[in-house]
Amino acid sequence: DGEKVCYADGKFYLESGYADAHLHCLCGAETAVGATCEKCGSKTQVWGGVSTLPTATGYYYLTADISATPLIPADNANVAICLHGHTVTSKAGKKLGYLQKGATLTITDCAEDPGNLTGVVNEPVIQAAAGTTLNLYGGKISGNTNTGDAVIQASKGTATTIGATFNMYGGEISGNTVNRGTVMMGTATGSEQNAIVRILGGTITGNHATGTS
């Protein structure tokens, strides 16, 4: 009947199918379906609702506050999670994310009052192994305590594998107590390759480093 067909998330949809869909780009801005966001350069995607932390490639948004064990994405997975204003609290104080084997994790939040990753004790909130990528576009990482190292730990690489990459485009890391610093970057020696940390936006404030070891 002449209805417009839209393309997003690698699929074609009838425009009417978007009436109740969760749609935005990586930075959380609402743009036209399939359009490229002028702020972050990503395209608007269709995000699927979940009540647990996903591990497979895809775009997901949280439908409720949750208590979670560590998210370990599948090998080479590209997982994007919109907190959608919800809080993810660590079960038993364990880290909330561990990236390995080429995985990419992107965290964002489209809500005016952003959600939070919290409750981690004596571990990094997210640990990224060599060859993985962590992107932060939105949401908060707050209320965590790590007497060992840092809030975000990006590991160094090897002679053949690049170190982990952490890109902070937005969001907030605040109100955490750590030993060494907010973001810890593995420093290479010899033929090893350094981790890469890029702070391009967002806010890092009000964190406390104890420096006890």
Side-chain angles (χ1 to χ4, degrees), residues 22 24-30 39 47 60-62 65 80-88 106-117 135-141 170-172:
H22 191 95
H24 57 76
C25 60
L26 288 180
C27 74
E30 294 184 8
K39 180 179 178 181
W47 302 66
Y60 308 90
Y61 72 95
L62 293 181
D65 294 347
I81 301 174
C82 172
L83 298 180
H84 196 41
H86 293 296
T87 296
V88 180
T106 298
I107 298 171
T108 189
D109 201 319
C110 66
E112 185 174 342
D113 184 12
N116 187 23
L117 304 181
N135 300 311
L136 180 63
Y137 281 93
K140 296 192 298 184
I141 302 176
E172 179 181 309

mmCIF file of all heavy atoms in Angstrom, residues 22 24-30 39 47 60-62 65 80-88 106-117 135-141 170-172:
data_model
loop_
_atom_site.group_PDB
_atom_site.id
_atom_site.type_symbol
_atom_site.label_atom_id
_atom_site.label_comp_id
_atom_site.label_asym_id
_atom_site.label_seq_id
_atom_site.Cartn_x
_atom_site.Cartn_y
_atom_site.Cartn_z
ATOM 1 N N HIS A 22 12.616 0.033 20.070
ATOM 2 C CA HIS A 22 13.692 0.756 20.759
ATOM 3 C C HIS A 22 14.741 1.091 19.705
ATOM 4 O O HIS A 22 15.448 0.223 19.206
ATOM 5 C CB HIS A 22 14.281 -0.140 21.849
ATOM 6 C CG HIS A 22 15.210 0.573 22.781
ATOM 7 N ND1 HIS A 22 14.800 1.098 23.982
ATOM 8 C CD2 HIS A 22 16.532 0.846 22.689
ATOM 9 C CE1 HIS A 22 15.830 1.659 24.594
ATOM 10 N NE2 HIS A 22 16.898 1.516 23.823
ATOM 11 N N HIS A 24 17.852 3.764 18.415
ATOM 12 C CA HIS A 24 18.812 4.864 18.534
ATOM 13 C C HIS A 24 20.176 4.397 18.046
ATOM 14 O O HIS A 24 20.393 3.211 17.779
ATOM 15 C CB HIS A 24 18.888 5.413 19.962
ATOM 16 C CG HIS A 24 19.240 4.407 21.020
ATOM 17 N ND1 HIS A 24 20.518 3.936 21.215
ATOM 18 C CD2 HIS A 24 18.480 3.802 21.963
ATOM 19 C CE1 HIS A 24 20.532 3.086 22.220
ATOM 20 N NE2 HIS A 24 19.299 2.982 22.691
ATOM 21 N N CYS A 25 21.094 5.348 17.938
ATOM 22 C CA CYS A 25 22.456 5.026 17.516
ATOM 23 C C CYS A 25 23.271 4.644 18.756
ATOM 24 O O CYS A 25 22.749 4.539 19.858
ATOM 25 C CB CYS A 25 23.071 6.205 16.783
ATOM 26 S SG CYS A 25 23.157 7.680 17.818
ATOM 27 N N LEU A 26 24.576 4.474 18.587
ATOM 28 C CA LEU A 26 25.403 4.025 19.703
ATOM 29 C C LEU A 26 25.484 5.034 20.841
ATOM 30 O O LEU A 26 25.584 4.654 22.008
ATOM 31 C CB LEU A 26 26.817 3.693 19.212
ATOM 32 C CG LEU A 26 26.953 2.415 18.388
ATOM 33 C CD1 LEU A 26 28.394 2.220 17.962
ATOM 34 C CD2 LEU A 26 26.461 1.198 19.173
ATOM 35 N N CYS A 27 25.435 6.324 20.523
ATOM 36 C CA CYS A 27 25.546 7.314 21.592
ATOM 37 C C CYS A 27 24.212 7.574 22.284
ATOM 38 O O CYS A 27 24.138 8.343 23.238
ATOM 39 C CB CYS A 27 26.150 8.613 21.073
ATOM 40 S SG CYS A 27 25.048 9.627 20.059
ATOM 41 N N GLY A 28 23.142 6.940 21.799
ATOM 42 C CA GLY A 28 21.837 7.069 22.443
ATOM 43 C C GLY A 28 20.918 8.098 21.830
ATOM 44 O O GLY A 28 19.771 8.247 22.250
ATOM 45 N N ALA A 29 21.404 8.826 20.811
ATOM 46 C CA ALA A 29 20.567 9.838 20.164
ATOM 47 C C ALA A 29 19.518 9.178 19.281
ATOM 48 O O ALA A 29 19.786 8.181 18.615
ATOM 49 C CB ALA A 29 21.437 10.776 19.331
ATOM 50 N N GLU A 30 18.326 9.751 19.275
ATOM 51 C CA GLU A 30 17.252 9.233 18.428
ATOM 52 C C GLU A 30 17.331 9.902 17.063
ATOM 53 O O GLU A 30 17.162 11.121 16.943
ATOM 54 C CB GLU A 30 15.893 9.500 19.075
ATOM 55 C CG GLU A 30 15.678 8.733 20.369
ATOM 56 C CD GLU A 30 14.298 8.952 20.936
ATOM 57 O OE1 GLU A 30 13.465 9.573 20.249
ATOM 58 O OE2 GLU A 30 14.055 8.509 22.067
ATOM 59 N N LYS A 39 26.679 13.008 15.599
ATOM 60 C CA LYS A 39 27.521 13.101 16.793
ATOM 61 C C LYS A 39 28.520 11.960 16.882
ATOM 62 O O LYS A 39 29.716 12.189 17.096
ATOM 63 C CB LYS A 39 26.640 13.125 18.040
ATOM 64 C CG LYS A 39 27.428 13.221 19.339
ATOM 65 C CD LYS A 39 26.494 13.259 20.537
ATOM 66 C CE LYS A 39 27.278 13.304 21.847
ATOM 67 N NZ LYS A 39 26.376 13.321 23.026
ATOM 68 N N TRP A 47 17.150 -2.165 18.776
ATOM 69 C CA TRP A 47 17.696 -2.814 19.965
ATOM 70 C C TRP A 47 16.646 -3.740 20.556
ATOM 71 O O TRP A 47 15.489 -3.367 20.722
ATOM 72 C CB TRP A 47 18.115 -1.775 20.996
ATOM 73 C CG TRP A 47 19.133 -0.783 20.485
ATOM 74 C CD1 TRP A 47 18.955 0.151 19.503
ATOM 75 C CD2 TRP A 47 20.481 -0.636 20.923
ATOM 76 N NE1 TRP A 47 20.102 0.870 19.294
ATOM 77 C CE2 TRP A 47 21.063 0.420 20.158
ATOM 78 C CE3 TRP A 47 21.259 -1.268 21.892
ATOM 79 C CZ2 TRP A 47 22.386 0.828 20.342
ATOM 80 C CZ3 TRP A 47 22.574 -0.851 22.077
ATOM 81 C CH2 TRP A 47 23.125 0.182 21.306
ATOM 82 N N TYR A 60 21.228 -4.642 22.239
ATOM 83 C CA TYR A 60 20.293 -5.001 23.288
ATOM 84 C C TYR A 60 20.052 -3.813 24.224
ATOM 85 O O TYR A 60 20.934 -2.975 24.406
ATOM 86 C CB TYR A 60 20.851 -6.156 24.135
ATOM 87 C CG TYR A 60 21.299 -7.363 23.350
ATOM 88 C CD1 TYR A 60 22.611 -7.472 22.895
ATOM 89 C CD2 TYR A 60 20.417 -8.404 23.076
ATOM 90 C CE1 TYR A 60 23.037 -8.589 22.184
ATOM 91 C CE2 TYR A 60 20.825 -9.527 22.368
ATOM 92 C CZ TYR A 60 22.135 -9.613 21.915
ATOM 93 O OH TYR A 60 22.552 -10.714 21.209
ATOM 94 N N TYR A 61 18.861 -3.779 24.836
ATOM 95 C CA TYR A 61 18.616 -2.807 25.901
ATOM 96 C C TYR A 61 18.006 -3.526 27.098
ATOM 97 O O TYR A 61 17.257 -4.499 26.948
ATOM 98 C CB TYR A 61 17.716 -1.660 25.440
ATOM 99 C CG TYR A 61 16.256 -2.018 25.244
ATOM 100 C CD1 TYR A 61 15.328 -1.808 26.257
ATOM 101 C CD2 TYR A 61 15.786 -2.536 24.033
ATOM 102 C CE1 TYR A 61 13.977 -2.111 26.085
ATOM 103 C CE2 TYR A 61 14.451 -2.842 23.846
ATOM 104 C CZ TYR A 61 13.555 -2.627 24.875
ATOM 105 O OH TYR A 61 12.217 -2.939 24.694
ATOM 106 N N LEU A 62 18.351 -3.058 28.296
ATOM 107 C CA LEU A 62 17.839 -3.668 29.506
ATOM 108 C C LEU A 62 16.413 -3.213 29.765
ATOM 109 O O LEU A 62 16.086 -2.038 29.627
ATOM 110 C CB LEU A 62 18.714 -3.303 30.703
ATOM 111 C CG LEU A 62 20.136 -3.878 30.708
ATOM 112 C CD1 LEU A 62 20.861 -3.449 31.987
ATOM 113 C CD2 LEU A 62 20.122 -5.390 30.588
ATOM 114 N N ASP A 65 16.133 -3.346 36.194
ATOM 115 C CA ASP A 65 17.348 -3.455 36.995
ATOM 116 C C ASP A 65 17.666 -4.934 37.175
ATOM 117 O O ASP A 65 16.754 -5.765 37.349
ATOM 118 C CB ASP A 65 17.147 -2.827 38.378
ATOM 119 C CG ASP A 65 16.923 -1.323 38.316
ATOM 120 O OD1 ASP A 65 17.158 -0.731 37.237
ATOM 121 O OD2 ASP A 65 16.523 -0.752 39.344
ATOM 122 N N ALA A 80 26.495 -4.874 21.982
ATOM 123 C CA ALA A 80 26.183 -3.493 22.375
ATOM 124 C C ALA A 80 25.000 -3.527 23.340
ATOM 125 O O ALA A 80 23.964 -4.132 23.043
ATOM 126 C CB ALA A 80 25.850 -2.642 21.157
ATOM 127 N N ILE A 81 25.154 -2.877 24.494
ATOM 128 C CA ILE A 81 24.119 -2.882 25.524
ATOM 129 C C ILE A 81 23.746 -1.450 25.888
ATOM 130 O O ILE A 81 24.606 -0.647 26.263
ATOM 131 C CB ILE A 81 24.586 -3.612 26.794
ATOM 132 C CG1 ILE A 81 24.972 -5.055 26.473
ATOM 133 C CG2 ILE A 81 23.506 -3.583 27.868
ATOM 134 C CD1 ILE A 81 25.590 -5.791 27.650
ATOM 135 N N CYS A 82 22.462 -1.134 25.795
ATOM 136 C CA CYS A 82 21.923 0.136 26.279
ATOM 137 C C CYS A 82 21.341 -0.117 27.669
ATOM 138 O O CYS A 82 20.437 -0.948 27.821
ATOM 139 C CB CYS A 82 20.840 0.651 25.332
ATOM 140 S SG CYS A 82 19.961 2.102 25.956
ATOM 141 N N LEU A 83 21.861 0.582 28.671
ATOM 142 C CA LEU A 83 21.367 0.371 30.035
ATOM 143 C C LEU A 83 19.924 0.834 30.191
ATOM 144 O O LEU A 83 19.208 0.366 31.067
ATOM 145 C CB LEU A 83 22.263 1.107 31.033
ATOM 146 C CG LEU A 83 23.732 0.661 31.082
ATOM 147 C CD1 LEU A 83 24.485 1.482 32.122
ATOM 148 C CD2 LEU A 83 23.850 -0.819 31.366
ATOM 149 N N HIS A 84 19.486 1.768 29.358
ATOM 150 C CA HIS A 84 18.095 2.231 29.353
ATOM 151 C C HIS A 84 17.662 2.702 30.734
ATOM 152 O O HIS A 84 16.530 2.477 31.173
ATOM 153 C CB HIS A 84 17.190 1.093 28.843
ATOM 154 C CG HIS A 84 15.815 1.523 28.436
ATOM 155 N ND1 HIS A 84 15.558 2.679 27.724
ATOM 156 C CD2 HIS A 84 14.597 0.930 28.639
ATOM 157 C CE1 HIS A 84 14.268 2.781 27.509
ATOM 158 N NE2 HIS A 84 13.660 1.745 28.061
ATOM 159 N N GLY A 85 18.596 3.347 31.456
ATOM 160 C CA GLY A 85 18.277 3.883 32.770
ATOM 161 C C GLY A 85 18.291 2.880 33.896
ATOM 162 O O GLY A 85 17.935 3.222 35.037
ATOM 163 N N HIS A 86 18.702 1.644 33.625
ATOM 164 C CA HIS A 86 18.655 0.593 34.647
ATOM 165 C C HIS A 86 20.016 0.345 35.287
ATOM 166 O O HIS A 86 21.058 0.621 34.701
ATOM 167 C CB HIS A 86 18.123 -0.700 34.042
ATOM 168 C CG HIS A 86 16.690 -0.622 33.630
ATOM 169 N ND1 HIS A 86 15.672 -0.435 34.534
ATOM 170 C CD2 HIS A 86 16.102 -0.670 32.405
ATOM 171 C CE1 HIS A 86 14.514 -0.392 33.890
ATOM 172 N NE2 HIS A 86 14.753 -0.527 32.589
ATOM 173 N N THR A 87 19.973 -0.209 36.495
ATOM 174 C CA THR A 87 21.180 -0.507 37.265
ATOM 175 C C THR A 87 21.537 -1.983 37.143
ATOM 176 O O THR A 87 20.668 -2.849 37.276
ATOM 177 C CB THR A 87 20.973 -0.148 38.748
ATOM 178 O OG1 THR A 87 20.773 1.259 38.856
ATOM 179 C CG2 THR A 87 22.171 -0.555 39.586
ATOM 180 N N VAL A 88 22.815 -2.241 36.905
ATOM 181 C CA VAL A 88 23.338 -3.600 36.905
ATOM 182 C C VAL A 88 24.216 -3.737 38.140
ATOM 183 O O VAL A 88 25.255 -3.084 38.256
ATOM 184 C CB VAL A 88 24.153 -3.895 35.633
ATOM 185 C CG1 VAL A 88 24.679 -5.326 35.665
ATOM 186 C CG2 VAL A 88 23.313 -3.666 34.384
ATOM 187 N N THR A 106 30.176 -2.728 23.801
ATOM 188 C CA THR A 106 29.830 -1.309 23.784
ATOM 189 C C THR A 106 28.714 -1.066 24.796
ATOM 190 O O THR A 106 27.694 -1.759 24.780
ATOM 191 C CB THR A 106 29.364 -0.873 22.388
ATOM 192 O OG1 THR A 106 30.437 -1.063 21.461
ATOM 193 C CG2 THR A 106 28.950 0.588 22.383
ATOM 194 N N ILE A 107 28.924 -0.082 25.674
ATOM 195 C CA ILE A 107 27.927 0.265 26.689
ATOM 196 C C ILE A 107 27.434 1.682 26.415
ATOM 197 O O ILE A 107 28.230 2.609 26.233
ATOM 198 C CB ILE A 107 28.528 0.181 28.098
ATOM 199 C CG1 ILE A 107 28.984 -1.243 28.386
ATOM 200 C CG2 ILE A 107 27.503 0.627 29.147
ATOM 201 C CD1 ILE A 107 29.780 -1.381 29.665
ATOM 202 N N THR A 108 26.117 1.851 26.392
ATOM 203 C CA THR A 108 25.530 3.163 26.162
ATOM 204 C C THR A 108 24.266 3.298 27.004
ATOM 205 O O THR A 108 23.888 2.366 27.737
ATOM 206 C CB THR A 108 25.230 3.384 24.673
ATOM 207 O OG1 THR A 108 24.859 4.748 24.452
ATOM 208 C CG2 THR A 108 24.109 2.471 24.180
ATOM 209 N N ASP A 109 23.612 4.438 26.912
ATOM 210 C CA ASP A 109 22.366 4.648 27.638
ATOM 211 C C ASP A 109 21.600 5.781 26.978
ATOM 212 O O ASP A 109 22.127 6.880 26.818
ATOM 213 C CB ASP A 109 22.639 4.993 29.105
ATOM 214 C CG ASP A 109 21.431 4.724 29.990
ATOM 215 O OD1 ASP A 109 20.303 5.026 29.557
ATOM 216 O OD2 ASP A 109 21.620 4.205 31.106
ATOM 217 N N CYS A 110 20.369 5.508 26.600
ATOM 218 C CA CYS A 110 19.537 6.515 25.942
ATOM 219 C C CYS A 110 18.673 7.284 26.922
ATOM 220 O O CYS A 110 17.974 8.226 26.544
ATOM 221 C CB CYS A 110 18.656 5.853 24.883
ATOM 222 S SG CYS A 110 17.415 4.726 25.573
ATOM 223 N N ALA A 111 18.711 6.889 28.218
ATOM 224 C CA ALA A 111 17.819 7.501 29.211
ATOM 225 C C ALA A 111 18.363 8.832 29.707
ATOM 226 O O ALA A 111 19.575 9.034 29.802
ATOM 227 C CB ALA A 111 17.627 6.556 30.390
ATOM 228 N N GLU A 112 17.451 9.733 30.051
ATOM 229 C CA GLU A 112 17.847 11.026 30.608
ATOM 230 C C GLU A 112 18.522 10.849 31.957
ATOM 231 O O GLU A 112 19.478 11.561 32.296
ATOM 232 C CB GLU A 112 16.620 11.924 30.737
ATOM 233 C CG GLU A 112 16.932 13.333 31.206
ATOM 234 C CD GLU A 112 15.723 14.234 31.194
ATOM 235 O OE1 GLU A 112 14.729 13.896 30.510
ATOM 236 O OE2 GLU A 112 15.762 15.280 31.869
ATOM 237 N N ASP A 113 18.035 9.892 32.747
ATOM 238 C CA ASP A 113 18.655 9.530 34.020
ATOM 239 C C ASP A 113 19.366 8.198 33.802
ATOM 240 O O ASP A 113 18.748 7.145 33.852
ATOM 241 C CB ASP A 113 17.596 9.407 35.111
ATOM 242 C CG ASP A 113 18.206 9.125 36.479
ATOM 243 O OD1 ASP A 113 19.439 9.258 36.617
ATOM 244 O OD2 ASP A 113 17.451 8.753 37.395
ATOM 245 N N PRO A 114 20.680 8.216 33.533
ATOM 246 C CA PRO A 114 21.367 7.006 33.077
ATOM 247 C C PRO A 114 21.485 5.919 34.137
ATOM 248 O O PRO A 114 21.481 6.190 35.343
ATOM 249 C CB PRO A 114 22.748 7.527 32.680
ATOM 250 C CG PRO A 114 22.930 8.760 33.481
ATOM 251 C CD PRO A 114 21.569 9.378 33.597
ATOM 252 N N GLY A 115 21.601 4.705 33.646
ATOM 253 C CA GLY A 115 21.795 3.554 34.511
ATOM 254 C C GLY A 115 23.224 3.455 34.996
ATOM 255 O O GLY A 115 24.094 4.251 34.640
ATOM 256 N N ASN A 116 23.490 2.421 35.812
ATOM 257 C CA ASN A 116 24.769 2.332 36.495
ATOM 258 C C ASN A 116 25.259 0.888 36.561
ATOM 259 O O ASN A 116 24.463 -0.044 36.695
ATOM 260 C CB ASN A 116 24.615 2.885 37.927
ATOM 261 C CG ASN A 116 25.916 3.010 38.681
ATOM 262 O OD1 ASN A 116 26.992 3.100 38.078
ATOM 263 N ND2 ASN A 116 25.837 3.014 39.994
ATOM 264 N N LEU A 117 26.585 0.716 36.463
ATOM 265 C CA LEU A 117 27.240 -0.559 36.741
ATOM 266 C C LEU A 117 27.875 -0.432 38.113
ATOM 267 O O LEU A 117 28.765 0.407 38.325
ATOM 268 C CB LEU A 117 28.314 -0.865 35.695
ATOM 269 C CG LEU A 117 27.877 -0.886 34.229
ATOM 270 C CD1 LEU A 117 29.055 -1.227 33.332
ATOM 271 C CD2 LEU A 117 26.737 -1.865 34.003
ATOM 272 N N ASN A 135 34.004 -0.087 24.471
ATOM 273 C CA ASN A 135 33.556 1.267 24.129
ATOM 274 C C ASN A 135 32.526 1.730 25.148
ATOM 275 O O ASN A 135 31.574 1.007 25.451
ATOM 276 C CB ASN A 135 32.913 1.291 22.745
ATOM 277 C CG ASN A 135 33.851 0.848 21.648
ATOM 278 O OD1 ASN A 135 34.983 1.322 21.558
ATOM 279 N ND2 ASN A 135 33.402 -0.066 20.809
ATOM 280 N N LEU A 136 32.707 2.943 25.670
ATOM 281 C CA LEU A 136 31.733 3.519 26.595
ATOM 282 C C LEU A 136 31.164 4.790 25.982
ATOM 283 O O LEU A 136 31.888 5.774 25.786
ATOM 284 C CB LEU A 136 32.382 3.823 27.948
ATOM 285 C CG LEU A 136 31.472 4.440 29.007
ATOM 286 C CD1 LEU A 136 30.333 3.489 29.374
ATOM 287 C CD2 LEU A 136 32.275 4.804 30.268
ATOM 288 N N TYR A 137 29.855 4.761 25.665
ATOM 289 C CA TYR A 137 29.162 5.926 25.103
ATOM 290 C C TYR A 137 28.238 6.586 26.104
ATOM 291 O O TYR A 137 27.922 7.763 25.971
ATOM 292 C CB TYR A 137 28.334 5.505 23.891
ATOM 293 C CG TYR A 137 29.118 5.315 22.620
ATOM 294 C CD1 TYR A 137 29.615 4.071 22.265
ATOM 295 C CD2 TYR A 137 29.350 6.385 21.750
ATOM 296 C CE1 TYR A 137 30.318 3.886 21.083
ATOM 297 C CE2 TYR A 137 30.059 6.214 20.576
ATOM 298 C CZ TYR A 137 30.535 4.965 20.241
ATOM 299 O OH TYR A 137 31.238 4.793 19.073
ATOM 300 N N GLY A 138 27.738 5.832 27.066
ATOM 301 C CA GLY A 138 26.787 6.379 28.016
ATOM 302 C C GLY A 138 26.615 5.478 29.215
ATOM 303 O O GLY A 138 27.165 4.384 29.283
ATOM 304 N N GLY A 139 25.854 5.962 30.205
ATOM 305 C CA GLY A 139 25.691 5.231 31.442
ATOM 306 C C GLY A 139 26.768 5.606 32.438
ATOM 307 O O GLY A 139 27.696 6.357 32.135
ATOM 308 N N LYS A 140 26.641 5.076 33.636
ATOM 309 C CA LYS A 140 27.592 5.361 34.703
ATOM 310 C C LYS A 140 28.260 4.081 35.197
ATOM 311 O O LYS A 140 27.671 2.999 35.154
ATOM 312 C CB LYS A 140 26.891 6.042 35.882
ATOM 313 C CG LYS A 140 26.310 7.395 35.574
ATOM 314 C CD LYS A 140 25.888 8.122 36.841
ATOM 315 C CE LYS A 140 24.800 7.388 37.585
ATOM 316 N NZ LYS A 140 24.322 8.155 38.769
ATOM 317 N N ILE A 141 29.494 4.229 35.681
ATOM 318 C CA ILE A 141 30.199 3.171 36.403
ATOM 319 C C ILE A 141 30.558 3.791 37.736
ATOM 320 O O ILE A 141 31.469 4.618 37.828
ATOM 321 C CB ILE A 141 31.443 2.690 35.640
ATOM 322 C CG1 ILE A 141 31.061 2.173 34.246
ATOM 323 C CG2 ILE A 141 32.155 1.590 36.430
ATOM 324 C CD1 ILE A 141 32.248 1.768 33.383
ATOM 325 N N GLY A 170 31.718 8.869 25.972
ATOM 326 C CA GLY A 170 30.737 9.529 26.810
ATOM 327 C C GLY A 170 30.541 8.729 28.080
ATOM 328 O O GLY A 170 31.325 7.830 28.396
ATOM 329 N N GLY A 171 29.482 9.043 28.814
ATOM 330 C CA GLY A 171 29.229 8.339 30.053
ATOM 331 C C GLY A 171 30.004 8.932 31.210
ATOM 332 O O GLY A 171 30.635 9.988 31.096
ATOM 333 N N GLU A 172 29.989 8.232 32.313
ATOM 334 C CA GLU A 172 30.593 8.750 33.544
ATOM 335 C C GLU A 172 31.206 7.621 34.357
ATOM 336 O O GLU A 172 30.590 6.572 34.547
ATOM 337 C CB GLU A 172 29.527 9.464 34.368
ATOM 338 C CG GLU A 172 30.003 10.036 35.688
ATOM 339 C CD GLU A 172 28.896 10.716 36.454
ATOM 340 O OE1 GLU A 172 28.197 11.568 35.856
ATOM 341 O OE2 GLU A 172 28.720 10.388 37.651
#
